[in-house]
């Protein structure tokens, strides 16, 4: 690499300074890039429509088990409807849960823990399970 | 005469500077700076605003900028914006060589500037040193915005305050600064008008009281949110010293009636008040209604304890009220809204969001008493019925924007009355109002000839005939019919033929949309900039190629979950559109060649979490 540098001393240096300057200037003038591309939290959306249902910042755990595979535990979910409460016997014991639906396309995405009956499971109350197969994320 | 430059020899520097100052778009400024060295220098003198995202080594970067752009008056630093510059975007056959030499030059440069390696990794976000550099370099600074700059502390703010005495606007959203910094700003920046302290969690009453006492006379706007140690004491100081306060935004559980009362009594010029304080009750609102007679905007958010009594006193006193937002205020009912409507007849903007006790009667009185209403937004108002919008249609002739989300009792009758009565309607957004069908939208197409923005998301009773009518009557620039699954090719073809000005189109989740519609769009809407085709199961590469053949202005294309499209389609979109900035697609659907050529434009959807 050092040899490459010495080879192109004169003309080369100018080129590279220009490239570097352009790079720095682009950093300054980022305001030309539309805001929607750059700013914003990482969002999970419904797999069936484009509704945004959860923030990556709200993920508590990625190793839960849903009805059909892996699921994530979220502290909050948005743009969802919560269905009627029912008692279910899950792997971790008896819970009162309510199914959670995408508010636009009504796809079942997971459930919300309404009540837990064992002390060790109480931390789940009020939190949401969204199944991995039902949510997608835009990777920017 | 070729090769001879007239302008540059005749015009002096000052004139060229004046001309450059009048350029309005950033693109023009950038272009003028590339003309010649002289213009580059003059253009730098004419720049007054800098925006900086999160970058590596911002401190050095700022020093660099300060040397070049000496007349800058406004600096916005937002650490939430991450800019990753991919060297891959450099195109050409000699790419490999350019890349390796660029890296070697960069290493060379960093080695020069920072001899010891330890420093290299630390300052990835702005530190006090950087802020001091800002203060040193831009002494004429009037506006500074530091958003989520987590490494900035009081020390940096102190040096900023001491050196930039002309500071008018300071935004410290999300920065962990302490009281001493704010105190010094108060002592030195006597022209401070705008102060934003949202999410400055380490601030306490001491700092804000000190600032209010020292430079309160000039303060016009103040914002405080999630600051647990700012209490009524600060507001009392603001009330007694900031007589010119016009805008106040408060989001805090630690503020009670005492604070708001102090503000109401002390700041009679208050124009904008935004409250999200669960411990504030009607008493405070009544005081505002009695003392703040210039109030133009009032926003009440989230589960507050206000009842109709409070609104009644606002209606009685704040006759100049133009803008009212009521969000999740469950104790507010029809009587309160009626009182506002009859009292504040100058109302132009109204938003009712999730207030479950507000029903048809409240809205009816708005329609009857507020003829100047230009924007109405009703979110999650299940109880508001057709008759409310009939009255609005009858009374509010100047309505320009209507937003309806989850209003399940509103149907075709309501939309027809709005269409016939509000002929100046420019924006209509309806989402999940399941009773709205084709009839209402046909009326819109027939009557609202100024409509440019239409959004009908998940209104599954709307059919093609509605879009045909809209295509004939409305000069649309923005259309969103996501989820209206009865709409098919016929409707979109009608839009393509009738709305040549269409710039943004969202047809996602439409199961019946096919390639024919895309072909027609390609021919009829050459100005199309943004298109969302996600979840359309019937469109294929053929449709895409027809679309991009003529839509040369296309900047963004979302095409996830389109099983009929392949890597070839993605490649077509990327290569045919010279202005393309973003293509959202599944990672496995992009060929490696397309990845190499266009990685800066591609955005991937992670379906495999």
């Amino acid at each position: 690499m050092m040899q490459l540098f010495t080879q192109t001393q004169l003309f080369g240096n100018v080129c590279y300074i220009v490239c570097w300057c352009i790079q720095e200037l682009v950093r300054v003038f980022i305001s030309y890039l539309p805001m929607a591309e750059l700013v914003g939290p990482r969002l999970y959306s419904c797999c069936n429509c484009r509704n945004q249902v959860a923030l990556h910042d709200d993920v508590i755990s990625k190793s839960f088990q849903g009805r059909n595979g892996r699921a994530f535990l979220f502290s909050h979910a948005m743009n969802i409807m919560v269905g009627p409460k029912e008692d279910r016997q899950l792997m971790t014991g008896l819970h009162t849960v309510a199914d959670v639906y995408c508010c636009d396309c009504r796809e079942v995405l997971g459930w919300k823990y309404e009540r837990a009956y064992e002390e060790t499971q109480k931390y789940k109350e009020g939190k949401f399970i969204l199944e991995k197969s039902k949510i997608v994320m835009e990777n920017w | 005469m070729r090769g001879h430059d007239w302008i540059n020899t005749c015009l002096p520097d000052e004139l060229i500077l004046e001309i450059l100052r009048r350029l309005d778009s950033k693109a023009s400024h950038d272009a003028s700076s590339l003309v010649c060295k002289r213009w580059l220098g003059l253009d730098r003198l004419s720049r007054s605003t800098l925006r900086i995202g999160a970058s590596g080594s911002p401190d050095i970067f700022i020093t660099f900028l300060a040397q070049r752009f000496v007349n800058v008056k406004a600096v916005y630093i937002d650490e939430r914006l991450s800019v990753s510059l991919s060297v891959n975007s450099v195109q050409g056959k000699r790419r490999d060589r350019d890349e390796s030499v660029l890296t070697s030059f960069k290493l060379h440069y960093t080695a020069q500037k920072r001899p010891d390696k330890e420093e290299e990794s630390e300052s990835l976000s702005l530190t006090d040193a950087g802020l001091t550099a800002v203060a040193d370099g831009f002494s004429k600074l009037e506006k500074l915005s530091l958003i989520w700059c987590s490494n900035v502390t009081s020390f940096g703010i102190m040096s900023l305050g001491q050196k930039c005495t002309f500071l008018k606007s300071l935004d410290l959203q999300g920065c962990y600064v302490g009281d001493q910094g704010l105190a010094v700003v108060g002592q030195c920046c006597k022209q401070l008008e705008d102060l934003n302290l949202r999410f400055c969690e380490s601030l306490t009453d001491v700092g804000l009281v000190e600032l209010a006492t020292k430079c309160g006379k000039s303060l016009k706007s103040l914002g405080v949110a999630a600051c647990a140690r700012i209490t009524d004491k600060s507001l009392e100081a603001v009330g007694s010293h900031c007589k010119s306060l016009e805008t106040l935004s408060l989001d805090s559980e630690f503020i009670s009636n005492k604070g708001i009362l102090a503000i109401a009594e002390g700041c009679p010029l208050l124009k904008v008040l935004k409250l999200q304080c669960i411990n504030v009750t009607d008493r405070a609102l009544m005081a505002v209604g009695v003392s703040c007679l210039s109030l133009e905007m009032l926003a009440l958010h989230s589960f507050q304890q206000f009842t109709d009594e409070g609104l009644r006193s606002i209606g009685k006193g704040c006759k100049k009220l133009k803008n009212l937002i009521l969000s999740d205020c469950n104790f507010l009912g029809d009587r309160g809204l009626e009182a506002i409507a009859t009292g504040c007849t100058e109302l132009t903007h109204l938003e009712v969001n999730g207030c479950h006790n507000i029903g048809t009667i409240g809205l009816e009185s708005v329609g009857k008493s507020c003829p100047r209403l230009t924007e109405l937004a009703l979110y999650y108002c299940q109880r508001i019925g057709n008759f409310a919008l009939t009255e609005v249609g009858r009374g509010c002739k100047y309505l320009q924007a209507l937003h309806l989300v989850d209003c399940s009792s509103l149907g075709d009758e309501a939309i027809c009355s709005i269409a016939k009565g509000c002929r100046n309607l420019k924006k209509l957004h309806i989402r999940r109002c399941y009773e709205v069908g084709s009839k209402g939208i046909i009326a819109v197409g027939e009557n609202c000839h100024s409509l440019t923005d239409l959004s009908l998301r998940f209104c599954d009773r709307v059919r093609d005939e509605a879009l045909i009518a809209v295509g004939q009557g409305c000069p649309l620039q923005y259309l969103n019919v996501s989820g209206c699954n009865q709409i098919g090719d016929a409707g979109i073809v009608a839009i393509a033929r009738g709305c040549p000005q269409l710039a943004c189109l969202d047809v996602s989740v439409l199961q019946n949309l096919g390639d024919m519609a895309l072909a027609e769009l390609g021919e009829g809407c050459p100005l199309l900039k943004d298109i969302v085709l996600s979840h359309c199961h019937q469109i294929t590469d053929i449709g895409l190629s027809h679309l991009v053949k003529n839509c040369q202005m296309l900047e963004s294309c979302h095409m996830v979950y389109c099983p009929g499209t392949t890597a070839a389609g993605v490649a077509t979109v990327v290569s045919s559109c010279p202005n393309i900035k973003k293509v959202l697609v599944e990672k496995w659907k992009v060929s490696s060649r397309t990845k190499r050529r266009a990685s800066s434009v591609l955005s991937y959807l992670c379906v495999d979490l």
Side-chain angles (χ1 to χ4, degrees):
Chain A
M1 238 197 290
M2 272 312 291
Q3 203 167 18
L4 202 64
F5 194 76
T6 43
Q7 263 176 10
T8 49
Q9 205 100 26
L10 280 166
F11 173 72
N13 262 345
V14 174
C15 264
Y16 311 140
I17 290 171
V18 166
C19 282
W20 181 82
C21 280
I22 290 174
Q23 196 172 2
E24 289 299 307
L25 281 171
V26 170
R27 255 193 264 233
V28 176
F29 301 130
I30 56 163
S31 56
Y32 87 90
L33 290 167
M35 286 300 276
E37 284 188 10
L38 299 176
V39 76
R42 284 156 72 191
L43 289 159
Y44 292 96
S45 309
C46 167
C47 64
N48 203 29
C49 68
R50 295 174 54 236
N51 197 11
Q52 292 165 347
V53 292
L55 300 178
H56 182 75
D57 288 344
D58 289 337
V59 171
I60 300 177
S61 163
K62 288 190 175 182
S63 48
F64 269 70
Q65 197 64 18
R67 263 181 278 238
N68 304 317
R70 273 239 181 284
F72 291 178
L73 183 70
F74 287 89
S75 58
H76 290 99
M78 53 202 187
N79 297 325
I80 44 129
M81 295 186 300
V82 180
K85 295 186 202 165
E86 45 181 74
D87 293 325
R88 256 184 238 165
Q89 187 74 354
L90 302 172
M91 278 193 308
T92 43
L94 182 68
H95 291 83
T96 307
V97 299
D99 274 342
V100 146
Y101 306 80
C102 167
C103 62
D104 273 336
C105 67
R106 315 273 188 93
E107 176 88 5
V108 177
L109 303 176
W111 62 83
K112 178 182 180 187
Y113 286 104
E114 297 282 1
R115 272 199 72 184
Y117 295 99
E118 289 175 40
E119 271 315 305
T120 53
Q121 305 298 311
K122 284 278 178 197
Y123 74 96
K124 294 181 191 170
E125 285 180 3
K127 301 198 168 65
F128 298 86
I129 288 281
L130 297 182
E131 308 210 25
K132 250 183 71 164
S133 58
K134 299 293 179 132
I135 52 174
V136 295
M137 182 163 86
E138 190 176 316
N139 209 5
W140 48 271
Chain B
M1 233 192 296
R2 280 188 74 183
H4 195 94
D5 180 359
W6 287 101
I7 297 267
N8 260 340
T9 48
C10 297
L11 292 177
D13 278 352
E14 301 81 37
L15 262 178
I16 298 189
L17 202 53
E18 272 306 303
I19 295 171
L20 292 180
R21 279 214 183 98
R22 280 161 170 71
L23 292 173
D24 49 0
S25 80
K26 201 185 139 308
S28 317
H29 274 282
D30 293 346
S32 65
S33 67
L34 295 175
V35 168
C36 62
K37 262 169 81 173
R38 186 178 174 214
W39 281 40
L40 177 65
L42 290 174
D43 178 75
R44 280 182 185 157
L45 286 178
S46 74
R47 300 275 183 162
S48 61
T49 307
L50 284 181
R51 287 178 204 273
I52 304 171
S55 52
S57 62
D59 299 343
I60 295 179
F61 187 38
I62 300 265
T63 325
F64 208 63
L65 290 173
Q67 286 163 6
R68 276 167 173 57
F69 302 99
V70 291
N71 282 334
V72 161
K73 293 226 170 78
V75 173
Y76 298 88
I77 303 179
D78 191 338
E79 298 263 311
R80 296 170 307 184
L81 306 175
S82 71
V83 182
S84 60
L85 292 161
S86 57
V87 188
N88 293 334
S89 59
V90 174
Q91 287 181 1
K93 287 187 192 138
R94 301 171 74 196
R95 204 176 44 85
D96 292 335
R97 200 176 143 216
D98 289 342
E99 216 176 282
S100 58
V101 187
L102 189 61
T103 352
S104 76
F105 178 78
K106 270 183 82 171
L107 285 173
H108 184 80
Y109 174 74
T110 49
Q112 262 182 350
K113 284 284 169 180
R114 280 178 299 191
D116 38 311
K117 276 245 162 188
E118 289 88 59
E119 284 179 40
E120 228 174 302
S121 49
E122 48 106 283
S123 60
L124 283 177
S125 69
L126 193 72
T127 65
D128 287 334
L131 195 50
T132 314
V134 169
D136 282 329
F138 303 113
S139 52
K140 296 189 218 167
L141 199 64
E142 287 181 6
K143 266 198 201 173
L144 177 64
S145 167
L146 300 172
I147 301 193
W148 291 96
C149 301
S150 39
N151 280 341
V152 166
T153 71
S154 267
F155 184 70
I157 305 291
M158 275 161 64
S159 54
L160 176 77
Q162 281 156 359
K163 300 201 180 130
C164 299
T165 52
F166 298 109
L167 203 62
K168 280 204 183 129
S169 163
L170 182 60
D171 185 345
L172 296 172
Q173 192 172 220
C175 300
Y176 205 72
V177 296
D179 293 325
Q180 311 98 308
L182 218 58
V184 169
V185 168
Q187 279 160 16
C188 304
C189 306
K190 294 293 182 191
Q191 299 185 21
L192 194 68
E193 290 179 0
D194 237 315
L195 182 62
N196 186 349
L197 302 172
R198 294 176 67 83
F199 306 106
C200 296
E201 292 163 357
S202 56
L203 282 180
T204 75
D205 283 330
V206 172
L208 194 48
V209 167
E210 183 70 22
L211 185 133
T213 321
K214 292 285 161 62
C215 69
K217 271 195 218 114
S218 55
L219 200 66
K220 286 208 181 120
S221 158
L222 176 64
V224 169
C227 303
R229 287 179 283 173
I230 291 191
T231 68
D232 293 330
K233 245 180 96 191
S234 304
L235 292 188
E236 281 170 346
V238 168
S240 42
H241 296 277
C242 305
K243 296 291 172 194
S244 338
L245 195 71
E246 289 179 7
T247 303
L248 180 64
S249 165
L250 290 173
D251 177 354
S252 166
E253 316 170 349
F254 303 98
I255 292 187
S256 68
N257 282 339
K258 215 164 71 151
I260 309 292
L261 279 164
I263 296 279
E265 279 153 30
C267 310
L269 299 177
L270 200 65
K271 283 203 185 127
V272 175
L273 180 62
K274 297 184 192 171
L275 292 178
Q276 193 165 339
C277 310
I278 53 174
N279 287 322
V280 175
T281 69
D282 280 335
R283 252 190 79 205
L285 218 51
M286 291 198 273
V288 170
V290 162
S291 316
C292 301
L293 304 177
S294 323
L295 199 68
E296 288 179 13
M297 171 165 174
L298 178 65
L300 304 175
H301 292 274
S302 298
F303 310 116
Q304 304 195 77
Q305 303 182 40
F306 303 124
T307 71
D308 290 340
E309 281 305 312
L311 281 193
R312 206 165 288 175
S313 107
I314 296 278
K316 226 192 285 181
C318 305
K319 296 290 176 194
K320 293 196 190 159
L321 195 69
K322 291 209 175 85
N323 193 325
L324 178 65
I325 298 179
L326 302 172
S327 175
D328 286 320
C329 297
N330 294 319
F331 298 117
L332 295 178
D334 287 326
R335 301 289 155 219
L337 196 54
E338 237 186 295
I340 294 271
T342 45
C344 311
T345 52
E346 299 291 308
L347 205 64
T348 57
H349 285 68
L350 175 63
E351 177 183 321
V352 178
N353 184 338
C355 301
H356 301 294
N357 279 322
I358 292 185
T360 311
I361 301 176
L363 258 301
E364 258 181 73
S365 43
V366 170
K368 284 185 197 151
S369 318
C370 304
R372 295 195 202 281
L373 200 67
T374 54
E375 188 163 332
L376 177 62
L378 302 173
Y379 302 125
Y380 312 105
C381 297
Q382 322 275 4
R383 287 188 50 199
I384 295 187
N386 284 329
F387 201 64
L389 287 198
T390 313
E391 282 299 325
V392 170
R394 226 178 275 169
C396 306
K397 300 269 162 225
Y398 301 108
L399 196 69
Q400 288 185 10
L402 178 62
H403 299 256
L404 302 170
V405 173
D406 263 335
C407 298
S408 47
S409 308
L410 286 178
D412 283 329
E413 216 184 288
I415 306 296
C416 286
S417 342
I418 291 281
K420 290 181 191 151
C422 310
R423 294 188 179 240
N424 289 321
L425 202 63
K426 294 209 171 77
K427 197 192 274 206
L428 179 60
H429 285 199
I430 306 180
R431 187 174 177 184
R432 296 197 298 267
C433 296
Y434 300 119
E435 294 297 311
V436 173
S438 304
K439 192 157 161 261
I441 309 300
I442 292 176
V444 170
E446 286 169 358
N447 291 295
C448 303
H449 299 299
S450 317
L451 195 74
T452 54
D453 186 338
L454 178 63
S455 172
L456 300 166
R457 298 171 63 176
F458 285 92
C459 296
D460 47 13
R461 287 184 55 198
V462 175
R463 303 166 66 157
D464 286 327
E465 55 224 23
L467 284 194
I468 294 173
V470 166
Q472 284 170 352
C474 307
L476 289 186
Q477 288 170 16
Y478 175 97
L479 176 65
N480 184 334
V481 286
S482 171
C484 300
N485 43 28
Q486 294 204 49
I487 289 181
D489 283 345
I492 301 298
V493 163
I495 293 287
R497 289 186 188 156
C499 307
Q501 303 288 322
L502 199 66
C504 302
L505 178 65
D506 185 334
V507 286
S508 56
V509 200
L510 290 189
Q511 317 297 347
N512 295 327
L513 195 71
D515 286 335
M516 197 168 83
L518 291 189
E520 287 279 345
L521 277 171
E523 284 189 30
C525 305
L527 299 178
L528 203 61
K529 263 180 35 191
D530 301 300
I531 189 161
V532 179
L533 302 166
S534 304
H535 297 278
C536 288
H537 295 177
Q538 293 197 27
I539 61 172
T540 70
D541 290 342
I542 301 171
L544 279 180
S545 62
H546 281 291
L547 177 72
V548 297
K549 215 187 324 187
N550 275 336
C551 293
Q552 293 293 300
M553 313 269 288
L554 204 65
E555 288 182 14
S556 84
C557 178
H558 291 225
M559 39 188 284
V560 289
Y561 283 99
C562 298
T565 61
T566 68
V570 179
T572 314
V573 173
V574 161
S575 51
S576 312
C577 305
N579 290 337
I580 195 91
K581 292 196 169 81
K582 173 171 174 175
V583 175
L584 180 67
V585 70
E586 290 96 334
K587 195 162 191 175
W588 51 266
K589 213 180 247 191
V590 184
S591 69
S592 45
R593 183 160 178 266
T594 314
K595 263 186 219 165
R596 274 198 316 268
R597 293 187 61 194
S599 61
S600 59
V601 159
L602 291 168
S603 213
Y604 300 122
L605 194 78
C606 272
V607 294
D608 225 358
L609 292 174

